[in-house]
Amino acid sequence: MAALQWWQTGVIYQIYPRSFQDTDGDGVGDLRGITARLDYLAGLGVDAIWISPFYPSPMKDFGYDVADYTGVDPVFGTMEDFDALLREAHARGLRVILDFVPNHSSDQHPWFVESRSSTTNAMRDWYLWCKPRPLSDDGRPAREQLPNNWMSHFGGPAWQWDKRTEQFYLHSFLKEQPDLNWRNPVVREAMYGAMRFWMEKCVDGFRMDVLWLLIKDKEFRDNPPNPEYHAGMRDFASTLPVYNANRPETHEIVAEMRGLMDSYGPTLPEHVDLKSAETTMERRSAQSHRVLIGEIYLPLPELVTYYGLPRKQGPAEAPAPETPELNGANLPFNFHLILTEWKASAIAEIVRRYEQLLPPGGWPNYVLGNHDQPRLASRIGAKQARVAAMLLLTLRGTPTMYYGDELGMEDVPISPAQVRDPAEKNEPGRGCGRDPERAPMLWVNAPNAGFTAPDATPWLPIESDWAAKNAAVQRSDSKSMLTLYRRLLALRRQHDTLHAGAIAEVAAEGDVLRYRRVALPKGDSTDFQVLLNLGTAVATTRCAPGTVVVTTMLDGAGARVEGEVTIEAGEGLLIALD
Ligand code: GLC
């Protein structure tokens, strides 16, 4: 009997490789840098790292424009460096998840170079080419007669005119990131081949970039206008992405990817934790040894459809189990804690609705930050960032944290001359820039905070309070954010109630968010009460008898609680119930 998998009980840590650790003094992080910091990650207590793209790339979108799906860009190192990273990570029991970018390639990818060479090229149909829209004769040149009104996520129309062949190609992001044609089975096979390449190296899974955008309407119909659009908003918001996002056929592809990934076995000896599997459904979802994660920004009811449908049993297969396994993504990323207002009632509602909407066998997950979103500590403040840490690490479901959040890193101010992100360059001043959350990791009390050589110029500026915030300083401070993360991660790992138990009584009482984690029938038999004060004033609430295990201020452990409990503004309590 299988049990819960590592990607269900574990915690995922995202690394933006340009910003983690530089070892060759060019001011850009590299794979050897990640390897050098594996002991830090193992000591922190996370279970898996997800590394943003390091494939060969012209770096127009810093690696999300891939020119070779099975290589390593020299700025990050070599394939030997990757092999060493994977080996060393596995030696420490850490899993490695790659970022795969299926929706688009770089315009420098040999496939696109071929595709754009002529309308009759065998690879023409690998990308999405369209003729100018046949308009009434209004005298406009063909290059202005766009096929439809779809907009790029990075500003302007999503169509680029190609002079040589006098057609447009689709780019949902930069014009240097042409969209691949996922309706073409040959494209699918090529992409699955690249996935196999990494799976055979024994990577532990993929985070699939913009998974909900892969398929576009066959007829390229116009999107409806967004009635709420107003000047100053980003171009992309001018229409509603009805025909170029979340198309029904996408699920077929996700199921193919999942099937491929499930055909691979474990990468590490399995730690079978029998008592963690609560139900038959959960045990069955544990058949995936490698994890398929989808980047999906959708409302909850649509998001949960990406878990897929119950798998059909073929005649040759075993008799249908009572709950068939789902065939979609193992973890469709849930970004709603990032997108929701930081209010107890709003978050309680998200958690309750999500729990209700999850299909039987669907494993929950939560994300608090990533390389596309403002830093948590800047968004909600340093004190609440500690509450957020407790929230993320005590909810039911796989947590994903973003590098540096464990230090309370904040958005770094970027002057116009320092802007690197194409999203900001294309639409300046509209809040699209992602450089602030991509600043270098703060390691030690030394020039450049130990991210790169002291005399090197980091590719983005170092956060100004690096001297007080770096990992080394925080490591020796018993009350630091890093100490809080380490403590919470250790507790989550230690107690199967926290990494596998049910969640109950999720409620908001004014500014207090509260929920209970329920011990497994055969588990460690501790129930936990979580009480989080998301407000700016002291709050009181009630609690069943228990003992405080940890507080966000790291000051009240061991205290007994019973009946009325007082919680400071921006404080959180984890209580083991009697
Ligand atoms: C995803 C990535 C983002 C990138 C975009 C285009 O949203 O997270 O960083 O710019 O896809 O690949």
Side-chain angles (χ1 to χ4, degrees), residues 12 50 207 293-298 303 331-336 354 365-367 370 400:
I12 301 171
W50 145 36
R207 173 266 189 192
I293 303 175
E295 185 204 18
I296 300 165
Y297 284 90
L298 284 175
L303 176 67
L331 302 175
F333 260 156
N334 171 1
F335 297 118
H336 288 272
Y354 185 49
N365 79 91
Y366 293 92
V367 184
N370 64 38
T400 299

Side-chain angles (χ1 to χ4, degrees), residues 102-104 128 150 153 170 172-173 179-180 182 208-217 236 241 243-247 250 253 295-298 306:
N103 180 68
H104 44 269
L128 293 163
W150 295 357
H153 286 261
L170 183 75
S172 297
F173 294 87
D179 282 41
L180 281 146
W182 273 87
M208 289 288 169
D209 194 62
V210 299
L211 191 58
W212 84 114
L213 304 184
L214 286 192
I215 288 277
K216 284 84 188 176
D217 182 46
F236 186 77
Y243 292 111
N244 53 350
N246 193 27
R247 301 303 300 166
T250 314
I253 296 170
E295 185 204 18
I296 300 165
Y297 284 90
L298 284 175
Y306 281 81

Side-chain angles (χ1 to χ4, degrees), residues 271 367 393:
H271 309 283
V367 184
L393 296 174

Side-chain angles (χ1 to χ4, degrees), residues 143-163:
R143 66 171 182 279
E144 288 177 17
Q145 297 180 7
L146 304 180
N148 65 24
N149 69 353
W150 295 357
M151 302 303 283
S152 156
H153 286 261
F154 289 156
W159 295 100
Q160 177 66 22
W161 178 246
D162 181 61
K163 258 197 253 156

Side-chain angles (χ1 to χ4, degrees), residues 461-537:
I462 306 277
E463 189 173 337
S464 58
D465 52 355
W466 55 271
K469 229 180 228 183
N470 67 74
V473 163
Q474 292 205 35
R475 185 76 175 83
S476 52
D477 172 356
S478 62
K479 300 263 159 83
S480 69
M481 180 71 141
L482 181 59
T483 303
L484 175 64
Y485 262 95
R486 287 168 57 95
R487 181 88 182 99
L488 289 167
L489 284 161
L491 286 165
R492 187 176 177 95
R493 180 172 293 188
Q494 183 188 341
H495 294 285
D496 49 20
T497 303
L498 292 178
H499 63 241
I503 189 165
E505 297 164 23
V506 182
E509 277 176 7
D511 286 330
V512 175
L513 173 64
R514 55 181 301 148
Y515 47 90
R516 210 155 54 79
R517 295 301 308 279
V518 185
L520 302 170
K522 289 167 283 172
D524 61 18
S525 75
T526 309
D527 272 23
F528 288 94
Q529 177 69 55
V530 182
L531 301 172
L532 305 170
N533 184 351
L534 275 65
T536 51

